[in-house]
Amino acid sequence: MIPTAVKRGSVLRFVLLGALAIHAASNACHAADAKPANKEAEASFTKNVLPILEQHCYKCHSHEAEKAKGGLMLDSRIGWTKGGESGTAIVPGKPDESLLIKAVRYENFEMPPTGKLPDELISRLQQWVAAGAHDPRVTRATRSTRRIDLEAGRKHWAFQPLRDELPPEVKDAEWPQSDLDRFVLAKLEEHDLRPVKDADRYTWLRRVSFDLTGLPPTVEEIREFETDESDEAHEKVVDRLLDSRAFGERWARHWLDLVGYADQVGTSNSVFAQHAWRYRDYVIDAYNNDKPFDRFIREQVAGDLLPHETIEQRSANLVATGFLVLGDIEIVEADKAKLLVDIVDQQVNKTGKAFLGMTIDCARCHDHKFDPILQRDYYAIGGFFHGTSSIYKTDRGVWSDVNTNELPETDSQKAERTQQTQAHAERLAKMQLERKQAIARKNELDELLKNEQLPKDERDQLTKERNEKSGQIGTLNRDILHADFFAPAVPQAHGVHDVEAPGNMNITIRGNPRALADEVPRGFLSVVTETAPHVPQGQSGRLQLADWIASSENPLTARVAVNRIWQKLFGHGMVRSVDYFGLPGERPSHPALLDFLASRFIRDGWSQKQLIRSLVLSRTYRLGSVHDDRAHSIDPDNRLLWRMNRVRLDAEALRDAMIFVSGQLNSSTGGPAMPLEFPENVGGLNPKDVNPPNFRLARWRPSQDFERTIYLPVIRHSGQPGPAALRNVFDFPQPSQFAGQRATTAVPTQALFLMNGTVVKERAAAVAERLTKSSEKESERLDQLWLTLLNRPLSPSERSEAEAFVLAAGDEAWIELCHALLASNEFLMRL
Amino acid sequence: MKHAPFFTRRELLRTTACGFGSVALGGLMSRDSRAASNPLAARDAQFTPRAKRVIFVFLAGGPSQGDLFAPKKFITDNHGKAIESPVGDDGQIRVGVAQFLPMAPVAPVRPRGNSGLMISDLLPNLAGVADELCMLRGVVSDNKAHAPAALQFHTGHIAEARPSMGSWISYGLGTENDNLPSFMTIHPKQDERTYGASFLPAIHQGTPLRVPGNEGDLAIANLQDADAAPESQRRRLDFLQRINQRLLHRVKTDSQMEGVIESFELAFRMQAETPALVDLSNETQGTLDLYGINKGPADRNGRACLMARRLSEAGVRFVQITMDGWDHHGDIRNALPGSCAGADKPVAGLIADLKRRGLLEDTLVMISGEFGRTYWSQDLSGTSPIATHGREHQQESFCTLLAGGGVKPGFVHGVTDDFGYKPVQGRVHLHDLHATMLHLLGMDHERLTFPHLGRDYRLTDVYGEVVRDILA
């Protein structure tokens, strides 16, 4: 049957399609061998079976209806033989193995979806299949199903190996300051375009400060840069920013957007993820310590399986696997088998998007519709997570919870904990004693109050005391439960570990864990790598998966990573669909530059800081963002970068900057985001409760109003709470999504927030207060205000307008002026 | 004709940033310059619609269909007798249910009107409009817990953040009033995803609204600045818009900046118009009475429903009202009457009011919980008498009521088994309900799509069948 000369790809495809292809082929043989129609069987089919198919199935599964839901046609024998996306629909003689029969019995699918067929009809179908499923209808051909051509798929640019590109020649040799600039200029020259003038120093400083740290420069920093005429002036600024803690606080948040990070487990019933902050702090540290990106990948995918040299390293490795479990997991799902395959789905999805820029999850139920990703690839990769434990069933109701791993302690941590444990025991004993005394006193009072002869005054007095005692006992009960629950313990982090006997995963038909098809050996995207990894016996193989992703040979990983960083600095990716490098996505605007940077990134040991440093020190990054009629008419979207793109600040930068300019931003070193230390913020601690322990955020730490936004709790079941509320207005991505690029919207709720919101009014008042203290002179205040908020000197015409405004606005003039500037486009954007 | 959504330059940039070539969409942009300047501009349906707008009354928590709309003889006959588990051995036993005690309706349920629709004595006013209602008795969804079930009811999906149905409808049809958003939601639940736009342009997200409780309370967040005198706010805004214009002039063209400037204008108009729209003081006493306003338990919901009618009348495409308090796990006998008293007049009043104003024929009213409740009892303590039992969640079948907007009035669709557990006829999955709603609005659910991450998404994912049996 196999032609003599076949390409490597097609043989492989045949093998990969495995049982399915063979199955179909053998059924096709059945059809070809069919004996001359048995008249009786044919009559029986026409009388007993055909009407059922026509009435109940054809609407969605026939040529007449021009529909083939799930790819299945039931208007010919070949139709059901070939089957749909779920495989052959009928196995003649074996009703129990036939999908169609299971479907009408409502076992795997529920067909027809409008209501179960009467038993009589179901049994007729069963009898027909049991008797060999005689079907004389041969005239209709099935709709051809598209087969994936891996060989053709490999020609897509993103699957091609990285090319070692050399910087091109340019006509204007004066302009470029780096290799990067030569690539950009060459493209512009190709289109007969020139870059616009460089941005002034103020604009560049504001731009690079926001991009690297999410904060504006201070007035002192502006003054210093303004007057620094040395050749290294720009480098000094960039190195200062890269070395600041604020850098990691900024860039970690970009990464958390890809993780679906929240301090909450799932969405239902406000269940806190007590240790999620450790993962957040791990990411901040990874950026600040410039952890090589390939190492960063390995730790997040398989940290628990990596060797380690120090306790700190082991700890970081375990915390890093939080990546796999800190998404929106529906822990209240009663069907635990479904929950497990859904978690695998989320992990495949997340890993595919964050590292590879692929929508592998599209191949859960069928081969990918656009990309050369086989359904088997999904389950090959899913197998790594199938052998991984992410959650466990709690002893409360139907609830599951995310796994936690105990972290190894250093000696000093251990000593500290011993101390805390002792203090805790003392505190607990004190509370228990207080409770005992309160109960005793209350009982005493109850006895006294039984005396009916008691004078009114005395009775009132005693009743009052009794009620106080009763209240005190209630509070103590709560506090003791709380203290017990949060007793000092070995540090823990949410993460994963291998299951006891990891194995391969079976294809699940439409994600149904009880409708299983072939088992698929663990492996990778066939279009990239066909060789299956060697997974040691008894392991999940995540280590092998991590190595494959983090390999310098993987054509996707470095390109995707470089493109993400480029997008954060230049406003758009070279590939604008930063999370998707598939076939229908667009080609990169500068393919050679992307490959050049990706190769250099790998050569430089996957250093993100070095990459960022080289990008922001380029001439291209220094360009103005001004308009140019001619360039605009040729390249209206600025794909070729004839100017810098203007960027609206995201929610975090906006809130942080508003606090920063009022001089009130606190520095932080991380730690728990949720203020769970307050007993009033925690419920469900009684072990008898059916629902898990939960939070309600009734009380905040006063410091949280002035902390950077990344340190505030992220929740899923409602808008972001308390001091983080600004996130709800300015396009903070729902923490159930994985979003490499945030939306930038302009909707009236934002305008209302900026016009009337309390937060903005408070910030305006604080800036105004700082300003009026700084100087008595109006002109100095104006200088200071423009430098602080917009990071540039104000122009003469602005000065006279502002003076007129201050004069007209009376008592609240400075608050009003600050308010107007905080709401202005120039403050909301970096140009 | 294939439905062709229009894009502003701003949306186009956003969309292209999400992975679609500008070439494909470039053609669409020039089709309608009016729409290109306003993403909310009213748009024609794909085919002749039966309904122009939707009002969705969401009874959050899961109202008990067995008590209110669909009593079962078998259950009533076996009230209080232990029966075999009606749940199969598929491991789907519910929490807190150790034995299955059928529990008869807590109040009489009777045939009403000419149609004979079954409605409980607890809903006397709704019973009065029975002949307007189309009752679906075999509605099915996929999850048993509140949050995912509610999410699925609103977005079609149980866990991800997908666009909500109101956003899809706003995206498909736009608004009929330039001074108001096209999708407003009164007293929404906390989960913002239930009215979020997800990957659709943000202008289509639901704007939350509440019935102002007292003086100074705002219907929309930040709608007014209580501290600032109007003239100082105006002065500040003028100054702000002047510096915004100067910056725009400097950079010549910037869709984001233009969008912000426009949004301040719309916000200012909303600030001016919304208070009058939500002010019910010029409604007649008769109308207020109809909705149960100023009359005890129905006051808040009555105001919400009347506000919904006014918004709907003013051209808001999708209005939702959420009424809490239907999660009756325990003592349903005592708790259900209160929930009904809070909702009965408001909902019945809304339908009657729409009818007398001639609005009902092109307004689809939908009334539903995220799921229903079991016909057997739930005993939270495990030891109490059946008189104090409640009922568990049931997504295997429940009732949704429709009215107006092209559905058959006084009509019942769907039959469940003797336990009221699974539909045996007329099963309507949420996806089918969504498909039907879009169909009534003149849109094919398979063609109302939005490109995202390399593929076309739709409200009904890859599912959904229009329930033709209920179309008038």
Side-chain angles (χ1 to χ4, degrees):
Chain A
M1 259 183 78
I2 299 171
T4 46
V6 281
K7 284 183 196 153
R8 188 170 133 269
S10 42
V11 172
L12 204 110
R13 196 174 71 229
F14 190 80
V15 176
L16 279 174
L17 289 169
L20 191 71
I22 291 162
H23 209 150
S26 65
N27 275 315
C29 290
H30 272 281
D33 294 349
K35 303 224 160 63
N38 173 334
K39 265 194 184 166
E40 206 173 305
E42 186 169 334
S44 162
F45 173 81
T46 312
K47 177 165 168 261
N48 295 321
V49 179
L50 188 57
I52 306 178
L53 297 177
E54 282 176 347
Q55 275 179 34
H56 299 284
C57 311
Y58 273 25
K59 202 170 135 207
C60 301
H61 300 285
S62 74
H63 289 79
E64 206 174 325
E66 295 182 341
K67 277 189 183 175
K69 289 241 161 159
L72 176 65
M73 288 289 191
L74 290 174
D75 53 0
S76 73
R77 182 183 178 94
I78 302 166
W80 56 254
T81 308
K82 281 207 172 171
E85 287 153 7
S86 314
T88 306
I90 295 170
V91 184
K94 295 182 177 166
D96 291 342
E97 291 171 27
S98 299
L99 289 179
L100 182 131
I101 298 298
K102 288 188 188 172
V104 296
R105 287 184 195 150
Y106 274 40
E107 288 172 4
N108 47 359
F109 303 111
E110 300 191 340
M111 292 290 157
T114 43
K116 202 171 172 184
L117 295 176
D119 291 347
E120 149 73 14
L121 300 189
I122 296 174
S123 78
R124 260 199 256 163
L125 287 171
Q126 279 172 191
Q127 282 166 15
W128 168 62
V129 173
H134 181 86
D135 185 347
R137 302 168 303 157
V138 288
T139 46
R140 303 270 195 195
T142 43
R143 195 161 78 164
S144 68
T145 43
R146 201 177 66 97
R147 292 284 186 215
I148 283 184
D149 184 343
L150 291 176
E151 208 54 57
R154 285 189 188 102
K155 298 200 174 100
H156 178 57
W157 69 269
F159 299 124
Q160 294 272 310
L162 283 180
R163 289 150 66 119
D164 217 352
E165 299 283 355
L166 291 175
E169 292 297 315
V170 290
K171 288 180 210 150
D172 179 2
E174 292 295 303
W175 189 81
Q177 285 178 344
S178 67
D179 289 339
L180 180 167
D181 297 323
R182 265 181 276 280
F183 283 98
V184 173
L185 183 60
K187 271 269 175 199
L188 287 169
E189 287 177 345
E190 239 175 70
H191 292 81
D192 197 21
L193 287 173
R194 289 275 316 147
V196 299
K197 279 201 297 194
D198 290 354
D200 62 47
R201 284 194 151 208
Y202 300 105
T203 304
W204 182 84
L205 183 63
R206 179 176 161 91
R207 178 188 297 164
V208 76
S209 299
F210 267 114
D211 285 353
L212 264 45
T213 66
L215 295 171
T218 62
V219 174
E220 295 69 40
E221 286 161 0
I222 296 168
R223 296 285 184 221
E224 194 183 327
F225 181 60
E226 210 176 27
T227 50
D228 187 346
E229 286 173 7
S230 70
D231 290 344
E232 299 84 36
H234 289 84
E235 287 178 36
K236 274 191 256 173
V237 169
V238 170
D239 289 335
R240 169 176 60 78
L241 295 170
L242 287 172
D243 287 343
S244 70
R245 180 169 172 86
F247 168 76
E249 293 169 335
R250 170 75 180 157
W251 284 75
R253 189 54 246 183
H254 296 328
W255 188 255
L256 296 183
D257 280 3
L258 295 167
V259 181
Y261 175 90
D263 296 283
Q264 177 174 9
V265 187
T267 304
S268 294
N269 290 38
S270 312
V271 179
F272 47 81
Q274 200 185 337
H275 316 290
W277 61 273
R278 287 194 196 272
Y279 174 76
R280 179 207 63 200
D281 283 357
Y282 159 84
V283 178
I284 294 175
D285 290 345
Y287 276 93
N288 277 336
N289 300 333
D290 199 18
K291 183 174 295 240
F293 190 69
D294 59 340
R295 174 81 200 175
F296 189 49
I297 296 171
R298 285 193 175 89
E299 290 178 357
Q300 293 182 84
V301 175
D304 55 316
L305 304 172
L306 285 173
H308 57 93
E309 278 163 13
T310 64
I311 284 176
E312 288 85 351
Q313 203 177 48
R314 174 66 180 160
S315 225
N317 288 349
L318 288 175
V319 174
T321 65
F323 171 80
L324 294 174
V325 296
L326 291 173
D328 186 3
I329 293 172
E330 199 38 82
I331 49 173
V332 64
E333 175 67 67
D335 183 344
K336 296 304 172 192
K338 180 169 183 298
L339 179 56
L340 286 180
V341 296
D342 284 352
I343 288 173
V344 169
D345 185 59
Q346 185 175 99
Q347 290 165 337
V348 170
N349 181 8
K350 187 189 281 190
T351 312
K353 272 205 191 95
F355 301 122
L356 304 169
M358 285 287 133
T359 52
I360 304 173
D361 50 311
C362 286
R364 188 182 192 182
C365 305
H366 46 68
D367 289 347
H368 202 289
K369 301 273 188 192
F370 312 119
D371 294 327
I373 298 177
L374 307 169
Q375 186 186 18
R376 296 182 68 85
D377 290 350
Y378 172 97
Y379 290 93
I381 294 173
F384 299 116
F385 301 116
H386 178 66
T388 301
S389 167
S390 303
I391 52 157
Y392 68 99
K393 168 78 183 63
T394 70
D395 48 14
R396 295 193 179 194
V398 293
W399 294 87
S400 296
D401 198 0
V402 169
N403 283 349
T404 48
N405 288 319
E406 288 201 344
L407 305 177
E409 288 176 293
T410 58
D411 289 343
S412 70
Q413 282 173 321
K414 229 177 258 172
E416 199 184 330
R417 184 160 61 84
T418 313
Q419 226 170 24
Q420 286 171 347
T421 307
Q422 196 174 347
H424 175 260
E426 284 164 16
R427 194 176 145 244
L428 199 61
K430 187 167 160 272
M431 286 195 290
Q432 277 159 344
L433 181 66
E434 275 175 37
R435 181 168 64 176
K436 203 174 149 194
Q437 289 165 342
I439 292 171
R441 177 63 185 154
K442 180 174 159 274
N443 292 343
E444 207 173 75
L445 290 163
D446 282 341
E447 279 305 314
L448 290 173
L449 283 164
K450 280 184 188 159
N451 176 5
E452 286 170 14
Q453 316 298 315
L454 227 50
K456 184 173 182 304
D457 278 5
E458 202 173 330
R459 169 171 295 277
D460 287 353
Q461 179 79 24
L462 292 177
T463 308
K464 187 166 168 258
E465 194 190 344
R466 187 209 164 273
N467 292 344
E468 278 166 11
K469 283 293 154 199
S470 186
Q472 189 193 357
I473 294 164
T475 308
L476 280 166
N477 281 339
R478 183 194 72 181
D479 291 356
I480 289 168
L481 264 182
H482 180 269
D484 255 345
F485 188 87
F486 291 100
V490 177
Q492 296 182 354
H494 300 298
V496 302
H497 55 82
D498 281 1
V499 299
E500 226 160 81
N504 296 326
M505 191 173 181
N506 284 73
I507 290 176
T508 61
I509 295 169
R510 289 203 157 193
N512 181 343
R514 278 172 277 275
L516 299 180
D518 298 351
E519 177 181 318
V520 183
R522 280 159 282 179
F524 310 123
L525 290 180
S526 308
V527 71
V528 174
T529 306
E530 282 170 346
T531 336
H534 170 68
V535 178
Q537 188 67 30
Q539 290 191 15
S540 64
R542 274 182 291 116
L543 205 50
Q544 286 69 33
L545 175 66
D547 284 341
W548 175 74
I549 296 172
S551 156
S552 56
E553 302 296 312
N554 191 312
L556 294 164
T557 312
R559 279 186 178 124
V560 168
V562 166
N563 190 58
R564 289 191 189 288
I565 289 173
W566 182 275
Q567 182 257 317
K568 296 299 175 197
L569 297 172
F570 291 92
H572 291 304
M574 284 187 250
V575 180
R576 283 182 294 188
S577 52
V578 291
D579 296 324
Y580 185 53
F581 277 32
L583 265 63
E586 61 182 351
R587 290 183 57 80
S589 54
H590 299 77
L593 174 56
L594 182 59
D595 276 18
F596 171 81
L597 292 175
S599 304
R600 200 178 65 186
F601 180 52
I602 294 170
R603 270 204 311 278
D604 288 347
W606 302 80
S607 162
Q608 298 194 82
K609 273 197 182 179
Q610 277 195 56
L611 175 63
I612 291 169
R613 188 176 190 279
S614 71
L615 298 191
V616 297
L617 285 172
S618 69
R619 183 91 193 249
T620 309
Y621 184 79
R622 209 173 288 183
L623 283 175
S625 65
V626 293
H627 181 77
D628 180 279
D629 275 336
R630 188 167 163 279
H632 182 78
S633 67
I634 294 170
D635 178 23
D637 288 342
N638 191 30
R639 295 291 283 134
L640 302 175
L641 283 171
W642 46 269
R643 65 166 171 88
M644 173 53 87
N645 288 308
R646 295 175 285 263
V647 179
R648 213 274 320 275
L649 302 184
D650 59 27
E652 287 83 356
L654 194 55
R655 176 178 170 277
D656 294 351
M658 280 191 187
I659 302 173
F660 186 79
V661 295
S662 63
Q664 291 174 306
L665 191 71
N666 287 341
S667 60
S668 169
T669 51
M674 290 250 178
L676 299 178
E677 66 272 28
F678 303 127
E680 57 266 54
N681 284 350
V682 189
L685 294 182
N686 192 328
K688 283 186 209 145
D689 283 353
V690 176
N691 291 324
N694 51 71
F695 64 89
R696 36 176 173 264
L697 298 182
R699 180 175 165 199
W700 293 85
R701 299 175 202 128
S703 61
Q704 288 183 304
D705 272 334
F706 304 103
E707 241 175 353
R708 288 202 73 172
T709 314
I710 189 169
Y711 295 116
L712 297 177
V714 178
I715 63 174
R716 269 198 207 93
H717 69 285
S718 74
Q720 299 308 314
L726 184 142
R727 277 179 158 159
N728 306 323
V729 189
F730 287 94
D731 304 311
F732 180 64
Q734 231 298 328
S736 309
Q737 287 174 299
F738 314 129
Q741 181 160 24
R742 294 194 185 180
T744 306
T745 65
V747 291
T749 38
Q750 292 163 352
L752 288 171
F753 179 88
L754 291 168
M755 269 193 326
N756 303 331
T758 320
V759 177
V760 185
K761 289 198 289 184
E762 279 171 5
R763 291 299 100 218
V767 176
E769 194 189 336
R770 189 179 180 212
L771 203 62
T772 43
K773 275 186 193 154
S774 75
S775 170
E776 285 298 313
K777 288 191 189 155
E778 188 173 288
S779 68
E780 283 177 8
R781 285 182 187 174
L782 289 175
D783 289 335
Q784 187 77 8
L785 181 59
W786 253 254
L787 276 181
T788 309
L789 263 57
L790 308 181
N791 309 131
R792 63 171 175 85
L794 82 169
S795 70
S797 61
E798 284 171 330
R799 186 184 297 278
S800 57
E801 267 179 35
E803 281 168 356
F805 179 82
V806 169
L807 195 65
D811 289 350
E812 305 275 273
W814 290 99
I815 298 178
E816 287 289 306
L817 183 61
C818 293
H819 192 165
L821 286 189
L822 285 175
S824 71
N825 265 328
E826 194 169 345
F827 184 75
L828 299 180
M829 297 179 86
R830 75 109 175 100
L831 304 176
Chain B
M1 188 201 98
K2 183 165 163 74
H3 177 66
F6 300 104
F7 296 82
T8 64
R9 191 184 137 66
R10 181 160 67 255
E11 285 172 84
L12 182 73
L13 286 172
R14 201 176 91 81
T15 314
T16 48
C18 292
F20 263 66
S22 51
V23 185
L25 295 173
L28 294 176
M29 250 179 73
S30 53
R31 283 195 196 169
D32 186 336
S33 57
R34 182 182 61 95
S37 68
N38 177 8
L40 285 180
R43 288 181 281 275
D44 291 339
Q46 293 167 339
F47 44 85
T48 312
R50 313 278 198 107
K52 286 185 178 160
R53 61 196 81 84
V54 177
I55 298 177
F56 171 34
V57 181
F58 181 47
L59 305 179
S64 169
Q65 73 280 26
D67 288 306
L68 300 176
F69 308 117
K72 285 278 166 191
K73 186 170 181 305
F74 176 87
I75 297 292
T76 306
D77 290 350
N78 287 283
H79 176 78
K81 296 177 202 159
I83 57 164
E84 294 251 320
S85 156
V87 187
D89 51 2
D90 54 0
Q92 297 193 44
I93 306 292
R94 255 138 240 88
V95 195
V97 180
Q99 55 177 338
F100 297 91
L101 297 179
M103 184 159 74
V106 298
V109 189
R110 305 175 211 272
R112 311 285 178 172
N114 297 327
S115 57
L117 251 66
M118 300 295 284
I119 294 179
S120 166
D121 280 5
L122 297 175
L123 297 168
N125 290 283
L126 195 69
V129 294
D131 289 343
E132 302 298 339
L133 301 175
C134 175
M135 185 182 286
L136 309 183
R137 281 178 165 173
V139 183
V140 174
S141 65
D142 297 334
N143 196 290
K144 220 171 272 306
H146 294 288
L151 190 62
Q152 188 182 30
F153 207 105
H154 289 82
T155 69
H157 209 277
I158 61 166
E160 290 173 26
R162 297 269 175 91
S164 55
M165 52 185 166
S167 299
W168 277 112
I169 289 166
S170 165
Y171 164 69
L173 298 175
T175 185
E176 291 180 314
N177 183 330
D178 287 341
N179 298 335
L180 292 172
S182 52
F183 170 18
M184 301 186 92
T185 176
I186 305 173
H187 303 146
K189 297 285 282 181
Q190 283 184 324
D191 190 346
E192 290 182 319
R193 291 176 297 177
T194 58
Y195 55 92
S198 182
F199 48 73
L200 291 180
I203 199 82
H204 300 297
Q205 78 197 13
T207 301
L209 201 79
R210 62 169 177 262
V211 172
N214 46 42
E215 195 104 2
D217 202 0
L218 302 176
I220 296 177
N222 303 313
L223 187 62
Q224 244 101 44
D225 181 350
D227 306 332
E231 58 274 19
S232 71
Q233 190 197 41
R234 188 65 253 179
R235 187 187 308 117
R236 167 159 39 86
L237 266 180
D238 287 345
F239 182 78
L240 162 68
Q241 292 291 55
R242 207 157 51 237
I243 52 180
N244 280 347
Q245 288 292 354
R246 181 182 300 115
L247 179 64
L248 182 60
H249 184 73
R250 211 169 91 201
V251 302
K252 294 280 196 313
T253 162
D254 186 300
S255 56
Q256 168 65 25
M257 290 187 194
E258 288 160 20
V260 170
I261 291 170
E262 282 166 27
S263 73
F264 271 99
E265 300 300 330
L266 176 54
F268 202 70
R269 291 200 301 272
M270 276 168 66
Q271 187 176 274
E273 292 226 349
T274 318
L277 199 60
V278 301
D279 175 12
L280 309 180
S281 61
N282 55 352
E283 294 284 346
T284 66
Q285 191 57 44
T287 302
L288 297 178
D289 289 345
L290 187 64
Y291 284 85
I293 293 171
N294 302 331
K295 293 262 168 64
D299 184 64
R300 183 177 135 100
N301 286 335
R303 287 174 190 274
C305 282
L306 181 50
M307 251 163 75
R309 189 218 81 207
R310 292 169 65 106
L311 293 169
S312 221
E313 208 170 20
V316 179
R317 198 63 80 167
F318 191 99
V319 184
Q320 174 165 344
I321 308 138
T322 301
M323 299 182 184
D324 249 324
W326 298 91
D327 193 20
H328 299 117
H329 287 281
D331 202 9
I332 191 167
R333 195 168 301 275
N334 277 314
L336 186 60
S339 307
C340 289
D344 182 37
K345 271 201 172 183
V347 178
L350 174 66
I351 291 169
D353 199 18
L354 289 170
K355 173 88 175 174
R356 70 179 183 181
R357 286 167 181 266
L359 286 166
L360 189 60
E361 61 187 56
D362 55 7
T363 305
L364 176 68
V365 180
M366 177 162 74
I367 304 151
S368 186
E370 67 270 43
F371 38 55
R373 308 200 85 80
T374 54
Y375 281 74
W376 53 90
S377 81
Q378 179 183 20
D379 177 12
L380 289 175
S381 69
T383 53
S384 58
I386 192 166
T388 63
H389 289 187
R391 300 184 191 272
E392 243 300 12
H393 305 167
Q394 175 173 303
Q395 95 280 13
E396 286 82 358
S397 76
F398 58 100
C399 284
T400 294
L401 304 180
L402 302 174
V407 295
K408 286 180 185 163
F411 188 74
V412 176
H413 179 75
V415 179
T416 55
D417 58 31
D418 287 347
F419 304 101
Y421 186 56
K422 286 207 168 188
V424 291
Q425 214 181 66
R427 178 182 188 272
V428 176
H429 190 279
L430 287 185
H431 298 305
D432 306 324
L433 191 61
H434 289 152
T436 309
M437 180 175 66
L438 293 180
H439 177 86
L440 290 165
L441 290 161
M443 291 180 285
D444 178 346
H445 71 104
E446 294 189 345
R447 290 191 295 154
L448 180 68
T449 62
F450 192 85
H452 171 65
L453 283 179
R455 76 172 175 94
D456 285 347
Y457 280 75
R458 48 182 237 230
L459 174 58
T460 50
D461 200 353
V462 297
Y463 311 98
E465 289 284 333
V466 174
V467 187
R468 298 200 176 265
D469 289 350
I470 65 166
L471 305 182

